[in-house]
Amino acid sequence: MNIRELSLLALLFGSLTLVGCGGGGDSDDPVETPEPTPVEDNDDNSDGDNAGDDSGDDEAEDNLPTTYEFSNSNGEDTVSYTGQTKRQILIDDLVAEMNGLTEDAAADVESQLNFYFRYDAATSDDLTPQFDLEGESLLPQNDASQFTYGAIAGGKDLVGKIAGGDGTGGGETGTLVGDFFGWSQGLDADPLPVELVDYFFAELASEVTDGVTPQIATVSGDVPLDTVTVSAEGLDYRQLIQKFLLGAVAFSQGTSDYLQSDFATMLESEDGAAYTEGEHNWDEAFGYFGAARDYGDYSDLEIRAAGGRADYQNGYHDSNGDGLIDIRSEYNFGNSVNCAKRDVGSADNTNPTDLTQQAFDAFIAGRHILAQAAEAGELTAEQQTQLDEHIATAAVTWEKCVAATVVHYINDVVADMGEFSDGKFASLDNFKNLAKHWGEMKGFALGLQFSPESPFAADEQSRDNLRELLALMGDAPVLADGTQGGATYEGGTAAYIEGLNQARDLLQEAYDFDAENVENW
């Protein structure tokens, strides 16, 4: 990210056309406005975003904030996405739970995982999350000064927000763009995403409890597999589950539900809160993206916790100087981090990306319009046109971060397969790396079907291209012995690599990625 080098003004005249938005976006956060977390604003305006400025678009553009901070004319903070932060934590804690699994015939693994996926607030909101930042005190805290699930947000779960719903027909349902596709093993015809999660849980449970230690054929002889989260067929369930949920819950909710709200009809206060329903829905989309409120002040290396200034280099920053890290505003989660990873990966190329700044600028510019509309009580036709452009920019740029990450893992899988020798793995690490990279590749790729703004949703041919891309990956990697999921893969490893390169070409074409970036991600 080039800190504030990209002009926010340019976004208001963006040329990207939006497919008409409409429909849902049921709010799921408490109506109480959380205590504001002041964040240093690098804008020249001393009064932040000047949401009440209705003196004309040109002047309003000059008052765009540089951080995701918005207040009403009474000075009240109007930003709220606590439910989304809690779901980010639930996904992170689910990963920690999987990482801690060991061989145990008596373990009730599915219950352990469903604690997070089908989270029960009534029994668990007083518990402390596994999420931890070593040496840091975290906000929000409850009255006992403890960091708990309930302090972040009351209620909430993951299953209630998954694309297509939980399969019961009741409760909240995430929008599903068309039918769900891309995985067939273990699923019936016309499956829902929730069924794939349950299948992954069941398969991982079997790996933990079966008492079998797979032997991996390497050039140095058979080596016992030292993890229970990976199958003998090279399926890394920890990676598949996490990456799929980032798509089927976070990305889907952000792009297919909240950004598709009918914002012109959402200009009233939401149940007496300081924010309108439209402002809240936009915030919830931003919460699923996962960026800190001062995301634009981080370098890409800092966002991905790989270097930079001492107080930013771990992916978070005490922006208000209170000695605490507020995970609702001062930490970068999930997909927002992948944007930075891909920007770093193209930084030395001829046409480097700046996905972090493009996404953040679009989120800020759209929210600024909604703040103005809230004050005026009207979203004008001109504002709606601009808002539509920001919706498309935010959604497609977010998706480009995911798609570029799929490209990155295609490259990794091909490199891993290049280490095979005489039908065997170079080492146990070679096998585990293949499983990890393939799981990340496939898990993220499945998420590309969840946004109506996607280039893969443009028409039936585009949708078919995504189906082909996912089919080329299959439901398991091709191993060193030329098998996939226990069966011989026609053409062996060479044919599979050729298929992965075809999948990469489909991604490059769909998102108009620069060829050098695709090669080097």
Side-chain angles (χ1 to χ4, degrees):
M1 180 182 297
N2 300 319
I3 302 174
R4 310 316 308 165
E5 289 182 359
L6 281 185
S7 172
L8 284 166
L9 305 184
L11 279 167
L12 292 175
F13 296 96
S15 59
L16 187 55
T17 302
L18 170 71
V19 177
C21 66
D26 293 339
S27 176
D28 71 321
D29 277 347
V31 297
E32 295 84 11
T33 305
E35 288 298 316
T37 302
V39 178
E40 182 181 353
D41 192 335
N42 294 327
D43 193 90
D44 290 336
N45 296 309
S46 59
D47 60 347
D49 69 284
N50 195 14
D53 184 356
D54 61 356
S55 58
D57 290 329
D58 290 341
E59 183 176 344
E61 290 159 23
D62 293 334
N63 294 312
L64 282 167
T66 60
T67 58
Y68 199 89
E69 296 290 318
F70 297 90
S71 58
N72 60 22
S73 57
N74 295 323
E76 299 172 291
D77 178 25
T78 62
V79 176
S80 177
Y81 48 85
T82 58
Q84 287 60 49
T85 300
K86 185 172 183 177
R87 291 188 178 95
Q88 300 277 11
I89 293 293
L90 287 172
I91 292 175
D92 275 11
D93 278 6
L94 174 58
V95 171
E97 189 73 21
M98 291 187 287
N99 285 340
L101 293 172
T102 58
E103 192 73 39
D104 183 357
D108 188 355
V109 176
E110 292 177 77
S111 292
Q112 289 178 249
L113 304 183
N114 274 311
F115 173 86
Y116 306 100
F117 186 54
R118 292 179 168 87
Y119 176 83
D120 183 356
T123 61
S124 304
D125 262 359
D126 289 336
L127 300 179
T128 299
Q130 293 196 54
F131 182 90
D132 180 62
L133 301 177
E134 186 175 356
E136 302 287 359
S137 296
L138 304 182
L139 287 175
Q141 300 173 346
N142 66 10
D143 292 339
S145 297
Q146 293 176 307
F147 176 60
T148 65
Y149 289 113
I152 304 169
K156 319 305 175 194
D157 60 29
L158 295 172
V159 68
K161 287 295 186 175
I162 196 166
D166 64 4
T168 67
E172 296 177 289
T173 298
T175 301
L176 186 60
V177 181
D179 59 326
F180 174 59
F181 57 88
W183 191 283
S184 58
Q185 183 67 34
L187 301 181
D188 295 330
D190 301 321
L192 290 171
V194 67
E195 296 172 55
L196 182 56
V197 175
D198 287 337
Y199 170 73
F200 286 156
F201 283 2
E203 292 297 296
L204 178 52
S206 178
E207 294 296 330
V208 171
T209 60
D210 64 7
V212 175
T213 300
Q215 299 294 310
I216 307 303
T218 75
V219 294
S220 300
D222 289 353
V223 180
L225 182 58
D226 58 0
T227 176
V228 295
T229 60
V230 179
S231 74
E233 291 76 29
L235 292 167
D236 188 326
Y237 291 110
R238 168 259 191 268
Q239 295 294 344
L240 283 165
I241 290 166
Q242 179 194 21
K243 273 51 179 186
F244 183 61
L245 288 177
L246 285 174
V249 175
F251 178 67
S252 172
Q253 280 289 305
T255 62
S256 190
D257 287 271
Y258 289 114
L259 287 182
Q260 300 304 309
S261 300
D262 187 0
F263 291 104
T265 66
M266 297 179 172
L267 301 177
E268 299 296 325
S269 171
E270 184 170 298
D271 298 325
Y275 45 76
T276 65
E277 183 181 359
E279 290 177 303
H280 192 195
N281 280 16
W282 190 274
D283 291 343
E284 289 174 306
F286 180 73
Y288 279 121
F289 179 62
R293 293 203 201 177
D294 56 350
Y295 186 70
D297 293 336
Y298 288 74
S299 72
D300 290 320
L301 284 175
E302 290 165 349
I303 292 170
R304 64 170 302 184
R309 294 164 290 178
D311 52 350
Y312 283 83
Q313 64 183 356
N314 294 313
Y316 57 84
H317 171 62
D318 180 14
S319 302
N320 63 355
D322 65 356
L324 304 169
I325 300 300
D326 191 335
I327 61 166
R328 299 165 298 183
S329 59
E330 298 176 335
Y331 185 84
N332 294 297
F333 287 100
N335 284 308
S336 74
V337 178
N338 286 314
C339 295
K341 289 180 178 180
R342 304 293 77 82
D343 285 348
V344 170
S346 68
D348 295 330
N349 296 342
T350 305
N351 297 302
T353 59
D354 200 358
L355 300 168
T356 46
Q357 198 71 60
Q358 290 165 9
F360 190 54
D361 286 352
F363 272 115
I364 283 184
R367 184 58 168 81
H368 180 67
I369 289 173
L370 292 174
Q372 290 181 301
E375 290 294 325
E378 176 190 14
L379 184 67
T380 68
E382 184 175 1
Q383 287 176 320
Q384 182 69 68
T385 297
Q386 295 171 348
L387 184 65
D388 288 348
E389 292 171 353
H390 300 317
I391 290 169
T393 300
V396 174
T397 305
W398 181 351
E399 184 170 343
K400 283 183 175 181
C401 299
V402 178
T405 299
V406 176
V407 169
H408 169 75
Y409 286 117
I410 289 175
N411 291 342
D412 277 353
V413 169
V414 171
D416 294 332
M417 296 180 73
E419 297 181 26
F420 298 168
S421 177
D422 296 326
K424 297 181 179 180
F425 291 95
S427 62
L428 179 60
D429 282 343
N430 181 205
F431 171 79
K432 290 165 63 177
N433 286 337
L434 174 72
K436 175 183 182 293
H437 296 148
W438 188 92
E440 292 177 287
M441 174 190 75
K442 183 71 176 194
F444 276 124
L446 286 164
L448 297 175
Q449 64 189 286
F450 294 128
S451 171
E453 306 293 342
S454 173
F456 284 124
D459 50 45
E460 195 57 40
Q461 180 59 58
S462 299
R463 206 68 173 165
D464 286 345
N465 287 344
L466 181 56
R467 293 177 189 275
E468 179 184 0
L469 184 157
L470 291 167
L472 288 167
M473 295 176 178
D475 289 352
V478 171
L479 305 183
D481 63 2
T483 63
Q484 182 184 53
T488 299
Y489 185 82
E490 185 176 354
T493 56
Y496 188 66
I497 289 173
E498 181 180 354
L500 290 182
N501 286 329
Q502 291 173 12
R504 195 179 76 163
D505 290 343
L506 289 170
L507 290 166
Q508 180 178 342
E509 179 181 358
Y511 299 98
D512 196 26
F513 286 145
D514 178 85
E516 183 185 11
N517 293 339
V518 166
E519 186 72 24
N520 292 319
W521 269 326

